[in-house]
Amino acid sequence: MKEKYKHLLNFTANVITLLVEGLMFGWVWYICYVPMLDKANALFRRGNWAVIGLYVLFVFFFTRVFGGYRIGYMRMSDIILSQILAVLLSFVVGYLEICLVANDYLPPRPLILMTAAEIAFIVPWVILVRKGYQRLYPPRQMLVIYGNYSPDDLIEKINTRKDKYNICASESYRVGYQVLYPLIKKYNAVVLCDLPAEARNQIMKYCYQESVRTYVTPKISDIMFRGADDIHLFDTPLLLSRNQGLSIVDLFVKRCMDIVFSSLGILIASPFMILIALAIKLYDRGPVFYRQERITKDAKPFMIYKFRSMTVHSEDAGARLAAKGDARVTPVGRVIRAIHFDELPQLFNILKGDMSIVGPRPERQMIADEYAEAIPEFVLRLKVKAGLTGYAQVYGKYNTTPYDKLKLDLTYIENYSAWLDIKILLLTFKILFVRENTEGVEESQTTAIKRRPHE
């Protein structure tokens, strides 16, 4: 019964957080900034609630985009990071709002102190709510049902979230439905991993009938269905998958955004790029930039630009992805790779039109061919331009398998919108603070391939 109140708890905690943040800003606005304004201007008196309301909207928007309201879903550290980043961005936008209202530059100190107070409230509050949530809703006891391949990789990933999931057992679908159905009823949830379509559909229908929560690893065709349109011209439902990539309007809007964001990015990042270039040159006197041929939309080759993060002779023995603790990475490279600043020169690739701000990461032709040999569908991600950041970058990691990256990239292509690009840009800012996203492949791997996927 208490399962029904889970969302109510989450909603109540988030409303309290937003209310406290709004009250803090309101207090600072009335006590510190209103006396600085022209008292004779009636607009300021009537617009106080509008100013406060806008700040609350900013906080809500940024926190929602970063996922800071998903208390029962994300790690505690992720929730705290998301809410802190939301408050910091809201401080920047809120200060600009105050200066615009005043038509003058006002001292930011009261707002800085308010932001510090909000962070001081957020951290213990999130810890308290999260602890209470975990006590009321312990990790789900889960059964993994797998197909032709071992589910060990997936189980290992799920086990990183023992605060939410508890894998109690795994079983092959080959044991038959007479064994599986009674087994399913013993658990709170079922994970269907890499099952043949017929078996998966049968088990999903049973779980639906018995109201058993079901997690499924999607196939490529499933992702295509998610981007399909509903057709209701007849009494038989139809799904329309256009399979054309982005429309002409989407392409125009995306190119305009690329020009604007890359130009602004170059302007803002110029001081950092100069400092990085100096650091690389002073370290070993080698070249500052690393140029390499990659492929973009329709497998068109182009030269990508990056700050050199490895030793000059790092690929004398052949090309390979960076491994965990790779000795080829220089001290300067280790820093700029950790914060993704080695990618900044690609802003010029975007301005030229070789790349987009958001899209699948460009691969070398040789590595793309190797991936395509193991995963023929890998070429499907070339329906759009390669990107500086992308869906696979914010929801995956550097060492995510090509098959999983393909699924993430196709999810982006099939669900594209200008808003999705903006959301990914904001989430990219967040992952700069998440170290595990830059984790390399294993020492034994030259590419990210681990095994041949089953479709």
Side-chain angles (χ1 to χ4, degrees):
M1 179 63 71
K2 66 179 182 180
E3 187 76 15
K4 297 181 180 179
Y5 298 101
K6 180 185 295 186
H7 294 295
L8 180 61
L9 171 63
N10 193 72
F11 176 77
T12 303
N14 291 331
V15 167
I16 292 173
T17 304
L18 195 59
L19 183 63
V20 170
E21 290 166 339
L23 288 173
M24 285 187 180
F25 180 83
W27 187 86
V28 169
W29 170 251
Y30 274 107
I31 301 300
C32 301
Y33 287 111
V34 168
M36 301 180 190
L37 304 178
D38 182 4
K39 298 290 184 65
N41 193 332
L43 173 64
F44 293 142
R45 293 196 296 275
R46 292 196 300 266
N48 289 330
W49 286 105
V51 172
I52 297 169
L54 276 174
Y55 176 80
V56 171
L57 283 176
F58 295 145
V59 175
F60 175 79
F61 170 76
F62 287 124
T63 308
R64 187 174 177 83
V65 168
F66 290 140
Y69 290 135
R70 308 183 75 178
I71 293 175
Y73 181 76
M74 298 177 70
R75 291 186 180 93
M76 185 189 299
S77 58
D78 284 338
I79 300 168
I80 292 172
L81 173 61
S82 298
Q83 296 216 13
I84 289 176
L85 288 177
V87 165
L88 292 175
L89 288 176
S90 298
F91 156 73
V92 173
V93 180
Y95 178 67
L96 292 176
E97 175 196 4
I98 288 173
C99 292
L100 286 172
V101 170
N103 198 26
D104 194 6
Y105 290 105
L106 298 181
R109 188 169 182 273
L111 217 56
I112 292 173
L113 294 175
M114 179 210 73
T115 302
E118 286 181 342
I119 293 172
F121 162 74
I122 285 169
V123 174
W125 173 245
V126 168
I127 293 173
L128 177 65
V129 172
R130 180 69 180 194
K131 293 289 187 183
Y133 188 95
Q134 287 180 300
R135 181 178 289 272
L136 289 172
Y137 303 103
R140 296 181 185 279
Q141 295 184 325
M142 304 173 71
L143 167 69
V144 174
I145 301 176
Y146 60 93
N148 298 322
Y149 293 93
S150 167
D152 291 347
D153 283 348
L154 180 63
I155 291 174
E156 183 180 347
K157 291 177 183 178
I158 295 175
N159 281 338
T160 63
R161 291 298 310 273
K162 287 185 177 292
D163 60 315
K164 186 171 176 63
Y165 305 115
N166 179 19
I167 302 293
C168 299
S170 62
E171 188 60 78
S172 170
Y173 82 101
R174 296 180 184 277
V175 299
Y177 302 129
Q178 289 183 337
V179 174
L180 287 176
Y181 289 168
L183 196 59
I184 287 171
K185 285 190 172 183
K186 296 180 181 180
Y187 298 95
N188 303 127
V190 172
V191 181
L192 306 184
C193 175
D194 200 19
L195 294 181
E198 183 180 351
R200 188 184 70 169
N201 293 345
Q202 189 70 26
I203 295 171
M204 284 185 68
K205 290 174 184 177
Y206 176 78
C207 291
Y208 187 87
Q209 176 185 325
E210 298 297 325
S211 301
V212 176
R213 182 174 289 229
T214 308
Y215 299 81
V216 183
T217 55
K219 300 180 183 297
I220 299 298
S221 55
D222 296 328
I223 294 171
M224 292 177 178
F225 285 141
R226 288 180 64 190
D229 294 330
D230 293 315
I231 301 295
H232 295 295
L233 297 177
F234 323 101
D235 57 357
T236 298
L238 292 178
L239 293 175
L240 170 62
S241 184
R242 292 185 171 84
N243 304 325
Q244 297 297 317
L246 307 189
S247 70
I248 189 68
V249 175
D250 289 336
L251 290 171
F252 175 76
V253 172
K254 192 171 179 61
R255 182 57 186 150
C256 290
M257 290 176 62
D258 286 343
I259 293 171
V260 171
F261 284 122
S262 61
S263 299
L264 286 173
I266 291 169
L267 183 65
I268 294 169
S270 293
F272 301 103
M273 289 197 279
I274 293 170
L275 289 174
I276 292 169
L278 286 172
I280 294 171
K281 198 68 179 177
L282 290 172
Y283 175 72
D284 60 7
R285 306 294 178 182
V288 169
F289 297 105
Y290 174 74
R291 297 170 72 251
Q292 188 180 74
E293 187 174 275
R294 300 286 180 98
I295 55 174
T296 184
K297 183 182 179 185
D298 301 325
K300 179 183 176 182
F302 74 100
M303 296 303 296
I304 196 172
Y305 305 114
K306 299 177 71 173
F307 281 121
R308 182 172 59 85
S309 60
M310 293 189 176
T311 57
V312 176
H313 304 290
S314 61
E315 294 191 343
D316 286 355
R320 56 158 296 164
L321 294 181
K324 298 174 182 177
D326 201 316
R328 299 174 301 163
V329 180
T330 65
V332 175
R334 195 166 291 113
V335 173
I336 62 175
R337 286 172 71 90
I339 57 177
H340 301 272
F341 275 20
D342 58 323
E343 313 280 0
L344 287 177
Q346 289 164 47
L347 291 169
F348 294 100
N349 285 118
I350 295 164
L351 198 58
K352 285 173 60 181
D354 295 329
M355 295 173 61
S356 182
I357 286 284
V358 180
R361 283 299 293 157
E363 299 287 356
R364 306 179 212 184
Q365 184 69 64
M366 177 184 66
I367 292 179
D369 289 343
E370 185 177 341
Y371 289 164
E373 185 178 346
I375 312 164
E377 302 88 352
F378 197 75
V379 298
L380 300 179
R381 64 200 293 275
L382 299 179
K383 281 184 174 288
V384 296
K385 281 183 183 179
L388 173 62
T389 184
Y391 203 90
Q393 280 63 56
V394 298
Y395 292 109
K397 297 189 291 185
Y398 181 79
N399 59 1
T400 297
T401 64
Y403 190 50
D404 285 333
K405 281 185 179 179
L406 171 61
K407 290 180 181 180
L408 292 168
D409 287 332
L410 286 180
T411 300
Y412 168 74
I413 294 170
E414 291 300 313
N415 296 276
Y416 172 78
S417 68
W419 159 242
L420 181 58
D421 273 4
I422 294 170
K423 181 178 179 180
I424 289 173
L425 282 173
L426 289 171
L427 288 173
T428 301
F429 174 70
K430 177 184 172 182
I431 66 171
L432 295 178
F433 302 91
V434 182
R435 184 178 177 82
E436 67 180 24
N437 282 72
T438 60
E439 189 179 71
V441 298
E442 298 295 337
E443 188 67 35
S444 59
Q445 297 174 247
T446 56
T447 68
I449 289 181
K450 290 185 177 180
R451 66 171 176 83
R452 183 183 178 88
H454 176 69
E455 180 66 4

